[in-house]
Amino acid sequence: MRRTAAALACTASLALLASACTGSSEGGATDDASKETTITFWHGWSQPSEVKAIDDNIKAFEKAHPNIHVKVVKNVTDDKINQALRAGGDNAPDVVSSFTTDNVGKFCASGVWADLKPFLDKSGIEVSATFPIAMAQYTEFNGTRCALPLLADAYGLYYNKDAFKAAGITAPPKTLSEFSEVAKKLTKATGDGYSQLGFMPDFHGYESTPTHFLGQWGATYFDKDGKSNLASDPSVTAMFEWQRKLVSELGGFQKLEKYRTGFGDEFSEKNPFETGQVAMAIDGEWRIANLKADGVKFDWATAPFPVPDDQLKTYGRGYQTGTIIGIAQTSRKQNASWELVKYLATDTDAVVGFANAIHNVPSTFEALKSPAIDPDPNFRTFLDIAANPYSSTTPASINGGAYQVSLQNFGYSYESGKVSDLKAGLAGVDKEIDAAVAQAK
């Protein structure tokens, strides 16, 4: 299931807690993982199929480690995890997971999640050889790796094959100029609306956010000194200019926004791609399960989302995020906890089984290549995106995803015409982000 909205929703509340998230020095890696022990694992999954999948992996772990017993607590939020870790004590978890990669900066910098480098070194696990680049990036902050990937989400293109055929389009576009032409060709205007829209480019559209689009350019967001570099990064300017031009070519912001108000819930059979209201969409691998479950009446397929014309060699890339797992700094059983983290995050059978069960992308190179992974070619599109070395993510920040919220709010103003000077506007966002980061420090 998609976690991005939930991640952004809790970013603001966690920002208020950042200065208090100092963790406790009571924990440590002095326990003997070969002795009989019980550890507690908190996770956020709540759907029956998800809970069963994680429970199955826990049972397999306990079978392989009969001396380590795992007490599992489901449906736990980041807020609750941070409160427990600050408080410490016997009721705090030993192993923690989060859907919010945006908070890795706070988890690592504040010390509430333990540094995993000593455990990785002891186990001989080389991060760059085990996890795809983007996943390795969103699990560390300023040289501290306090998390590992535990499945991932990758973004690509969904397209209506019947609509393509009717319009005489034989293949999905690879460059953004091709994409814009295809989007226009697939658009059928009717009065002040549409009977079919090629693509919804508005930033309020489902998944069509600035950060998801910028994944096709590989934007860096911050310079080597940690300063926001949106105004000086040509890829950011190029993305906004491309998006606003497409908005204009498809009928203009007001017309598109009026049409968007008729969209159903994103995670229902009334999703605009499923109803045929839009012929193309940017979305994650989880949409495949929705499309199959809802029994859409048209033929559809997936492909990587197009890339800038001058970056054709990077075609196949996409934006990535995912679930993360780590060890509570307060845990007195960190060696036993590491055994569970290592198993869930790096054991190929565990990663593949979990990915197949909940329809997420596997998070290790070996799992991505496994013959046991879901063979559906539409799903494998996202495996290739995940493995693509050009795929990227949004970097960790000490105040979470606040900088993404600032950029997204600017996007709303720019696309609607409230901001006319793009460079000046982005410079203003840079100042806002830098001030917020300085305050968080």
Side-chain angles (χ1 to χ4, degrees):
M1 292 180 65
R2 167 182 172 266
R3 306 297 182 186
T4 307
L8 285 175
C10 72
T11 292
S13 63
L14 281 173
L16 299 175
L17 300 173
S19 62
C21 290
T22 57
S24 167
S25 60
E26 296 176 359
T30 58
D31 60 306
D32 186 345
S34 68
K35 300 294 186 182
E36 195 82 9
T37 189
T38 297
I39 59 175
T40 302
F41 172 38
W42 283 14
H43 68 76
W45 286 283
S46 60
Q47 297 294 324
S49 60
E50 298 171 333
V51 173
K52 180 182 183 303
I54 196 70
D55 286 348
D56 287 345
N57 265 357
I58 295 299
K59 290 176 183 176
F61 169 79
E62 290 179 325
K63 184 176 181 180
H65 301 76
N67 64 296
I68 303 177
H69 311 285
V70 184
K71 178 183 177 183
V72 181
V73 180
K74 65 180 180 179
N75 196 24
V76 184
T77 66
D78 277 11
D79 280 345
K80 186 173 181 179
I81 288 173
N82 276 277
Q83 290 165 9
L85 297 187
R86 291 198 313 278
D90 293 336
N91 293 324
D94 298 293
V95 177
V96 287
S97 69
S98 171
F99 301 136
T100 318
T101 57
D102 290 338
N103 289 323
V104 167
K106 289 198 286 282
F107 294 153
C108 292
S110 64
V112 291
W113 288 34
D115 184 357
L116 298 182
K117 186 179 186 303
F119 299 100
L120 289 160
D121 290 346
K122 179 178 64 176
S123 299
I125 297 174
E126 185 179 346
V127 170
S128 61
T130 306
F131 306 105
I133 294 173
M135 299 182 205
Q137 290 174 340
Y138 65 61
T139 47
E140 66 93 25
F141 177 66
N142 282 356
T144 299
R145 178 167 303 286
C146 66
L148 293 182
L150 181 60
L151 303 193
D153 292 326
Y155 285 77
L157 175 69
Y158 284 78
Y159 61 100
N160 185 322
K161 291 179 71 175
D162 289 350
F164 268 49
K165 184 177 181 180
I169 304 168
T170 58
K174 291 185 176 181
T175 67
L176 288 172
S177 62
E178 292 172 353
F179 178 80
S180 295
E181 291 304 313
V182 168
K184 288 186 287 184
K185 195 170 185 179
L186 291 169
T187 296
K188 300 177 181 178
T190 55
D192 62 349
Y194 309 87
S195 60
Q196 176 181 278
L197 179 64
F199 178 72
M200 173 52 75
D202 288 11
F203 292 133
H204 277 106
Y206 298 142
E207 307 300 339
S208 55
T209 67
T211 53
H212 293 170
F213 286 153
L214 282 171
Q216 303 312 112
W217 274 267
T220 58
Y221 297 93
F222 297 96
D223 63 21
K224 61 182 178 61
D225 297 318
K227 297 291 186 180
S228 180
N229 68 345
L230 300 174
S232 59
D233 185 345
S235 68
V236 178
T237 298
M239 184 280 289
F240 276 108
E241 290 177 342
W242 166 79
Q243 186 266 356
R244 194 149 108 168
K245 183 172 184 286
L246 185 57
V247 166
S248 176
E249 292 174 338
L250 294 181
F253 179 73
Q254 297 301 329
K255 185 174 181 177
L256 288 170
E257 280 296 283
K258 181 178 179 180
Y259 186 63
R260 188 182 63 79
T261 60
F263 290 174
D265 183 80
E266 181 178 3
F267 293 98
S268 76
E269 61 186 14
K270 298 299 183 181
N271 175 283
F273 180 73
E274 294 194 28
T275 60
Q277 289 169 283
V278 297
M280 296 187 294
I282 184 172
D283 216 330
E285 78 288 339
W286 61 82
R287 180 61 54 195
I288 294 171
N290 294 120
L291 289 164
K292 290 180 178 179
D294 295 338
V296 296
K297 304 301 182 183
F298 58 85
D299 195 12
W300 56 273
T302 64
F305 200 82
V307 296
D309 290 46
D310 61 353
Q311 296 189 42
L312 183 57
K313 70 176 183 180
T314 69
Y315 178 71
R317 77 191 317 175
Y319 177 79
Q320 290 185 34
T321 184
T323 305
I324 55 176
I325 189 169
I327 299 172
Q329 182 61 45
T330 54
S331 173
R332 298 184 180 93
K333 305 171 183 177
Q334 291 186 10
N335 287 319
S337 297
W338 168 247
E339 292 301 321
L340 178 61
V341 170
K342 180 175 65 172
Y343 177 80
L344 293 178
T346 68
D347 182 271
T348 300
D349 289 341
V351 174
V352 168
F354 196 25
N356 284 340
I358 70 172
H359 310 293
N360 277 172
V361 171
S363 42
T364 68
F365 285 121
E366 288 302 314
L368 287 167
K369 296 184 295 184
S370 171
I373 203 68
D374 186 345
D376 182 346
N378 285 313
F379 184 69
R380 289 189 173 271
T381 293
F382 297 93
L383 304 187
D384 293 340
I385 292 171
N388 189 299
Y390 292 105
S391 288
S392 60
T393 187
T394 37
S397 173
I398 198 167
N399 62 341
Y403 73 93
Q404 298 173 46
V405 176
S406 295
L407 179 60
Q408 188 162 295
N409 288 336
F410 171 76
Y412 297 149
S413 296
Y414 181 69
E415 70 177 355
S416 64
K418 294 179 182 178
V419 173
S420 56
D421 190 329
L422 179 57
K423 282 290 186 182
L426 288 173
V429 180
D430 282 335
K431 290 181 180 178
E432 178 182 319
I433 291 171
D434 288 341
V437 168
Q439 183 177 18
K441 290 180 179 178

